[in-house]
Amino acid sequence: MEKLNFHKTHGKAINKENSFNTNVGVSQLRQINTRILGGGASQGFAAFKLFEHYIAYEAPEYVVEIGSQKGGLSLYIANIASVTEQFLFHTFEINKNRDWYNREVEGIGHWFEKLEIISPYIKSFEGDCFSQEIIDLVASHINLYGKTLIICDGGDKAKEVEVYSRIMKKGDVIMAHDFPDDLGRGEIFDKDINMEILDYCEPWNQRFIDNKTLFKVFIKK
């Protein structure tokens, strides 16, 4: 029997005490790492379960994540897609070398891309989400499948919502992370949302707010 060699630096740079603190305050989510399925994430634990509930009850056929980062949320959704075989999941990251492949900060790109080989329901991409190539790719899948869910968590969330909400169908859903925390700090604000073409997607929007996830959820009119 051959003895396995274990990875010695995965998660080395991360403070493990905060990674598993389910009671962390909203304002702290920006400074700490959440560990889920062995990988790093910037979303709080409540967001993961709410995503799973949303997918189970609303049954989107196409789910898009803009901003894979370390990939914790990407891997979580990828597992749901692969296990259920009920929707297609695409995740986009502008620079995979920064966090996606970085094992010291709990990047999970190495494992996600192994899953891609065996599951036709998931795929990761590297590139600028504002490039016409990626916009066209997403638009073609939006038109091919039923209900779409788009998760905006990249570097310019306001622009992500603005660009991608325009190519969605009526009834498709878009959400963004890092709305203001309890100290008023945020990367996207209510004023950034075009309410002429979007409306709050209830009850999901309020559920994400009540659980202090920093997400807000909108539906295309």
Side-chain angles (χ1 to χ4, degrees):
M1 182 184 299
E2 184 178 354
K3 183 179 180 180
L4 289 171
N5 292 317
F6 297 121
H7 202 281
K8 293 182 171 55
T9 61
H10 184 86
K12 183 179 180 181
I14 298 299
N15 180 331
K16 299 297 189 298
E17 180 180 351
N18 281 334
S19 291
F20 297 100
N21 183 0
T22 58
N23 294 318
V24 66
V26 174
S27 62
Q28 293 175 277
L29 284 176
R30 304 188 194 285
Q31 284 77 46
I32 70 167
N33 182 81
T34 297
R35 189 171 191 175
I36 191 83
L37 299 176
S42 61
Q43 302 86 9
F45 283 103
F48 290 87
K49 201 59 187 175
L50 283 170
F51 274 118
E52 189 158 8
H53 284 174
Y54 175 87
I55 290 169
Y57 285 101
E58 298 296 333
E61 290 188 356
Y62 183 45
V63 178
V64 176
E65 178 192 37
I66 298 172
S68 317
Q69 203 200 31
K70 299 174 186 178
L73 179 60
S74 313
L75 182 60
Y76 192 85
I77 296 175
N79 274 283
I80 300 171
S82 300
V83 169
T84 65
E85 299 182 339
Q86 292 179 331
F87 65 94
L88 175 65
F89 174 56
H90 285 168
T91 184
F92 297 88
E93 174 57 41
I94 193 168
N95 180 5
K96 285 185 172 182
N97 287 322
R98 183 173 54 195
D99 292 313
W100 182 256
Y101 293 127
N102 189 342
R103 299 294 299 274
E104 289 197 6
V105 298
E106 299 180 343
I108 56 78
H110 66 288
W111 181 243
F112 189 106
E113 292 178 13
K114 289 178 182 176
L115 289 179
E116 285 183 278
I117 297 172
I118 62 174
S119 174
Y121 299 93
I122 65 172
K123 188 167 180 59
S124 64
F125 300 83
E126 183 174 35
D128 184 352
C129 69
F130 300 123
S131 70
Q132 197 60 50
E133 179 183 5
I134 290 180
I135 292 172
D136 289 346
L137 172 70
V138 173
S140 66
H141 285 84
I142 287 174
N143 292 325
L144 181 63
Y145 290 100
K147 184 184 295 185
T148 292
L149 168 65
I150 299 179
I151 304 162
C152 299
D153 205 359
D156 190 342
K157 298 165 178 71
K159 186 177 180 182
E160 292 156 22
V161 172
E162 194 277 326
V163 169
Y164 282 87
S165 63
R166 294 190 178 278
I167 64 172
M168 296 192 315
K169 306 181 300 296
K170 180 180 179 180
D172 287 342
V173 172
I174 192 165
M175 57 194 307
H177 192 214
D178 290 321
F179 273 88
D181 59 22
D182 47 0
L183 298 179
R185 299 173 299 182
E187 296 180 21
I188 182 170
F189 301 86
D190 289 340
K191 65 179 178 60
D192 297 319
I193 306 301
N194 182 356
M195 300 305 286
E196 292 184 3
I197 65 171
L198 296 174
D199 200 355
Y200 292 110
C201 182
E202 302 297 358
W204 298 103
N205 179 62
Q206 196 59 48
R207 288 175 182 171
F208 275 89
I209 292 172
D210 290 345
N211 284 276
K212 302 184 184 301
T213 65
L214 304 181
F215 277 99
K216 287 191 177 182
V217 190
F218 306 90
I219 189 167
K220 182 75 174 281
K221 292 181 180 178

